[in-house]
Amino acid sequence: MGGTVLFFRFELERRGIRSADEFLPPYRRAAERLGLTNVDPAPKTFEGWIYEGRKPQRTFRQVIVEMLGYSIDDLWTEVPEGAAPDFVPLVGTSPTASHAEPGMDLSEMKRSGAMAVRRARNYVLQADRERVGDNTLPLLHDQVAQLVHDYPRVPLAAIWDDLLDAQDQVIFNLETGKHRPSQLGDLNFMAGVLAFLVAKGFNDMEDREQARTMSLLAGAFAKDAEHPGLMALVNGLQSLIEYWADRPGDALFYAQKGAALSSNLNGTVGLWLLGLQARAAAVLGDEGTVRTANREAIDRRGSVVLDDLDQLGGLLTYSQEKQTYYAVESEALLGHGDAELTVQAELAVRGFSDRENPNWAFGDLAGAQCNQALVLLYSGEVDGAADAIRPVLELPPTYRNNGIVVSAQRVRQALMTTSARTAVVARDLQEEIAVYAPRRPALPSGSQR
């Protein structure tokens, strides 16, 4: 760390603690005082804290604070090596209270994420070894469910460390626990879901290669879990990655592959894959495939029976709001704009405007608003388009993931190529969107990611 260490590491070394074996006994005593069980970190997780500076996920923070007597913010502050820090121990205050905004530098996120890719890859490559775990499945289930819920609702920077730590924990249990076959399948399912989210995170950071690699690993876990729905969902993610990488041919291939796999499934994953087909086909100018896929998705909506992926929600379900958003986007990508499509675009925006809606997602709302701007532009309503995209342009940099930036740039391209390009409003909007992309996509400046 260039002459500095985390106060966490300083305090542990001051107490003679330098390894996971030395850390766990006092940590477990602190957990007992709090009435907590089954909250031991994996050795790799502990090493990530002490040697890589990775911040613990919420499950572990209160135990660490109880054990060491300092706030998490103080413990994860760098101090000069050899100096005697003067942090004040907590007395009569909430040990887990934190007034700092979460976050880390984008390059650090990619580096720590790359380590997760390597770890997952190493496990999959050694799949013939005995698979083991312990009795922490309920805790892991809760962690996975919370991450699935949070992912589309908060900036990536707020959950990235928690996501990587949860993946470490699941793979640690796969490697070292002892489970019945059904439990082993459950762990592989969770590993697949977490790898799916990590891959999506890399895509949001515009790190395509790591996203592609982690998506392959997610597919391997899904196959080990013998879960066709999750396997199809991973194909959808692979389509999504190629779609935002401007490789519509590959995006269509993966969407069709997943659609074939999910043709006999009753959950919403099959509908998502149809929506992905329509969007990719639209970029290719294939109106026939767009119409066929969207019509089939409408026909199948009425016979949906929500499955375990849908019950988890978040990115694992395809709501009616999202289906409308995808259908409008496919038409907008074809350059269409008329009264009926304008109404659909407004419905898509309205569907994501209520934060209390369990299907709300900041990325889907921004995408729907960009699509509405496109449809209005193609209808000749420049002022309406400017109003539609205004909330997107006012998003803090922390929310501007790659998909949102690309969607905004599509509006700029349309402004430059339609008859509205000479209007003052259009020229001003072009200039504003031109500088919209943050230097660190999906991340804020300063202490946040």
Side-chain angles (χ1 to χ4, degrees), residues 142-369:
D142 289 346
Q143 292 171 348
V144 171
Q146 188 64 50
L147 287 163
V148 170
H149 172 271
D150 289 347
Y151 192 100
R153 305 181 71 89
V154 303
L156 178 60
I159 61 169
W160 186 245
D161 275 349
D162 287 356
L163 184 52
L164 298 184
D165 279 343
Q167 187 180 55
D168 268 352
Q169 287 293 314
V170 170
I171 294 177
F172 171 71
N173 278 274
L174 277 168
E175 291 175 331
T176 62
K178 294 182 179 179
H179 284 281
R180 297 187 300 275
S182 61
Q183 294 173 316
L184 184 58
D186 205 10
L187 280 170
N188 275 306
F189 173 79
M190 288 189 284
V193 169
L194 292 169
F196 176 99
L197 294 178
V198 173
K200 179 63 165 60
F202 277 120
N203 189 62
D204 286 344
M205 291 189 282
E206 208 172 351
D207 191 339
R208 308 284 186 215
E209 290 311 309
Q210 296 287 22
R212 291 180 179 115
T213 300
M214 187 56 91
S215 71
L216 290 172
L217 299 170
F221 285 121
K223 185 176 181 180
D224 281 351
E226 298 180 347
H227 197 294
L230 185 55
M231 292 163 64
L233 194 78
V234 172
N235 287 149
L237 175 64
Q238 291 168 322
S239 175
L240 193 76
I241 291 168
E242 302 309 332
Y243 175 74
W244 293 116
D246 197 22
R247 295 171 61 172
D250 291 340
L252 183 59
F253 166 78
Y254 283 116
Q256 291 174 332
K257 180 180 178 182
L261 186 61
S262 63
S263 60
N264 295 322
L265 302 178
N266 295 321
T268 65
V269 62
L271 277 65
W272 183 44
L273 286 152
L274 289 168
L276 289 164
Q277 283 186 66
R279 293 203 311 185
V283 178
L284 295 169
D286 182 355
E287 293 202 25
T289 298
V290 171
R291 299 285 148 65
T292 300
N294 283 337
R295 187 164 51 249
E296 184 178 348
I298 292 171
D299 292 343
R300 287 177 58 178
R301 172 60 67 176
S303 59
V304 162
V305 177
L306 299 182
D307 59 15
D308 52 349
L309 296 171
D310 293 308
Q311 296 297 337
L312 281 170
L315 300 180
L316 309 188
T317 191
Y318 189 64
S319 64
Q320 178 63 67
E321 296 92 335
K322 196 159 188 171
Q323 185 171 337
T324 303
Y325 153 49
Y326 270 49
V328 170
E329 183 156 306
S330 63
E331 293 292 336
L333 289 169
L334 290 170
H336 295 159
D338 55 36
E340 182 180 351
L341 190 56
T342 299
V343 171
Q344 291 299 309
E346 171 62 28
L347 284 174
V349 171
R350 196 182 308 158
F352 289 113
S353 294
D354 180 7
R355 285 177 175 263
E356 299 305 311
N357 183 338
N359 297 318
W360 183 86
F362 72 86
D364 292 340
L365 174 59
Q369 289 165 332

Side-chain angles (χ1 to χ4, degrees), residues 42-78:
K44 290 286 186 182
T45 300
F46 171 76
E47 290 169 8
W49 299 343
I50 192 168
Y51 296 119
E52 299 160 23
R54 199 188 290 175
K55 207 166 187 177
Q57 63 188 101
R58 296 180 186 89
T59 305
F60 304 112
R61 291 179 188 177
Q62 58 183 322
V63 184
I64 292 171
V65 169
E66 172 68 21
M67 172 184 167
L68 299 179
Y70 293 92
S71 73
I72 284 293
D73 288 336
D74 285 348
L75 289 167
W76 258 259
T77 298
E78 292 185 358

Side-chain angles (χ1 to χ4, degrees), residues 24 91 109 134 264 368 376 398 422:
L24 283 175
V91 179
M109 287 176 69
D134 59 27
N264 295 322
L376 289 169
T398 182
T422 58

